[in-house]
Amino acid sequence: MRSVIVALPGRVTGLSAPGAVRWINPEHVVSVRPRLAVTLEGLDLFVELKLEGLPLFETWIGTFENKELADSRRQSYLAELAAS
């Protein structure tokens, strides 16, 4: 069984950096949905993540200068989840 690192809520709780890192089993991932928010600093990338047995939560992945950089990070995040 392989685990991946997932950033858990950070920005949502007022932190200025991505949240705590936890190990999860990718087989427990039910859904992943990205969301972009325009801010004064750039584009904030969030991911709504649903894991088996846990409520849906949103985690902040980072702030990016443009949509292409945010999309690149989203793609690598999804690849990390799928690489099991």
Side-chain angles (χ1 to χ4, degrees), residues 6 29-35 45-51 55-61 77-78 81:
V6 175
V29 175
V30 175
S31 68
V32 179
R33 188 176 82 166
R35 181 177 68 83
L45 174 60
F46 295 89
V47 173
E48 286 184 356
L49 189 60
K50 173 67 175 104
L51 303 175
L56 178 74
F57 64 90
E58 186 175 72
T59 183
W60 176 63
I61 303 300
Y77 182 86
L78 294 175
L81 287 177

Side-chain angles (χ1 to χ4, degrees), residues 64-82:
F64 301 89
E65 292 178 13
N66 56 52
K67 190 173 188 267
E68 290 77 20
L69 291 174
D71 190 53
S72 175
R73 178 60 186 114
R74 180 186 63 83
Q75 292 289 348
S76 64
Y77 182 86
L78 294 175
E80 291 168 17
L81 287 177

